[in-house]
Amino acid sequence: MNKKDIKILLVDDEPDILEIVGYNLSNEGYQVITATNGVEAVKKAKKELPQLIILDVMMPEMDGIEACEIIRKNEDLKNTIITFLTARGEDYSQVAGFDAGADDYITKPIKPKVLVSKVKALLRRFKEDDKSNTVKIGHLVIDREAYKISLKGNEIILPRKEFELLSLLASKPGKVFKRDEILDTVWGNEVVVGGRTIDVHIRKLREKIGDNSFKTVKGVGYKFVE
């Protein structure tokens, strides 16, 4: 996953924090979404499905601890990394944050370069998890181990070959998979009845996942489009 494809939700009620931290992360090439309180954070997290949430603790309307607990209950956000922003000396916030489901915490004030390095380290963790069993692209989540997918929070049951085809194409969005590569990976040595087998499976996936998610490259193969 490229930096431009990574969404970071930055939540803080201090405009200066949003501006400075947001600028540095955007300058690194990440997509930065901002929120100023916990209520707004929960709404944007559910809508945007970010890979990383940087969450302040003390905020109006809903604090970061409560927001984290709500976000962690959302199935589509279970693999999202959440790190808290805490002021120096707020040890109780760090403990409460971990109890609420946070993965890490960042103590502020923090130098921009140090923050960026911290974010890169956190996102490497996400990528490692992603490579194992789960592929997450926007509103689509593919659980390879359980052979299940969810789209916008709704579980969709796919026959095995459709699932394997989707999993292959979605593993590298934008890459054109040649027909021979698809046949070898998904069907292997199995007997394929008819030369239009891949086309039929792609048509069924378009009906279930969305027509715009798959692009035909004439004479070559198919690719998954985010």
Side-chain angles (χ1 to χ4, degrees), residues 66-141:
E66 186 178 353
C68 181
E69 290 175 338
I70 294 173
I71 289 169
R72 275 290 178 241
K73 292 177 182 177
N74 189 300
E75 187 69 16
D76 290 337
L77 295 164
K78 67 179 182 179
N79 293 319
T80 296
I81 292 176
I82 300 176
T83 183
F84 275 107
L85 279 173
T86 61
R88 295 187 187 280
E90 289 184 352
D91 293 335
Y92 71 92
S93 295
Q94 294 170 11
V95 173
F98 285 127
D99 288 343
D103 298 287
D104 210 331
Y105 67 90
I106 296 172
T107 303
K108 60 180 181 180
I110 185 171
K111 293 180 179 179
K113 288 185 178 180
V114 177
L115 172 70
V116 170
S117 296
K118 185 80 171 177
V119 165
K120 287 180 179 179
L122 288 168
L123 288 170
R124 278 197 295 271
R125 188 188 310 174
F126 177 88
K127 291 176 182 178
E128 288 167 0
D129 292 342
D130 186 63
K131 287 179 181 178
S132 58
N133 295 314
T134 304
V135 174
K136 186 176 181 182
I137 306 172
H139 294 288
L140 178 67
V141 180

Side-chain angles (χ1 to χ4, degrees), residues 140 142 147-149 156-170 182 186-187 190 197-210 214 224:
L140 178 67
I142 304 172
Y147 266 78
K148 295 192 303 184
I149 73 166
I156 299 175
I157 305 298
L158 295 178
R160 181 165 182 171
K161 292 304 179 187
E162 287 180 35
F163 179 89
E164 291 178 354
L165 177 56
L166 173 62
S167 182
L168 173 65
L169 297 179
I182 293 173
V186 178
W187 280 272
E190 297 177 21
T197 300
I198 299 175
D199 303 333
V200 171
H201 282 71
I202 289 289
R203 177 175 56 79
K204 291 179 178 178
L205 286 175
R206 281 177 167 150
E207 292 172 356
K208 298 171 183 177
I209 307 301
F214 305 90
F224 186 90

Side-chain angles (χ1 to χ4, degrees), residues 16-105:
D16 288 348
I17 295 290
L18 293 181
E19 182 179 354
I20 296 170
V21 175
Y23 170 79
N24 281 278
L25 293 176
S26 296
N27 201 41
E28 278 292 314
Y30 300 115
Q31 295 183 49
V32 180
I33 305 134
T34 60
T36 57
N37 58 67
V39 174
E40 187 181 2
V42 171
K43 289 180 180 178
K44 289 194 174 182
K46 291 179 179 178
K47 178 182 178 182
E48 300 291 345
L49 301 179
Q51 282 75 33
L52 170 65
I53 299 175
I54 302 175
L55 191 60
D56 188 29
V57 176
M58 303 302 292
M59 294 183 294
E61 295 192 50
M62 179 190 292
D63 65 27
I65 303 296
E66 186 178 353
C68 181
E69 290 175 338
I70 294 173
I71 289 169
R72 275 290 178 241
K73 292 177 182 177
N74 189 300
E75 187 69 16
D76 290 337
L77 295 164
K78 67 179 182 179
N79 293 319
T80 296
I81 292 176
I82 300 176
T83 183
F84 275 107
L85 279 173
T86 61
R88 295 187 187 280
E90 289 184 352
D91 293 335
Y92 71 92
S93 295
Q94 294 170 11
V95 173
F98 285 127
D99 288 343
D103 298 287
D104 210 331
Y105 67 90

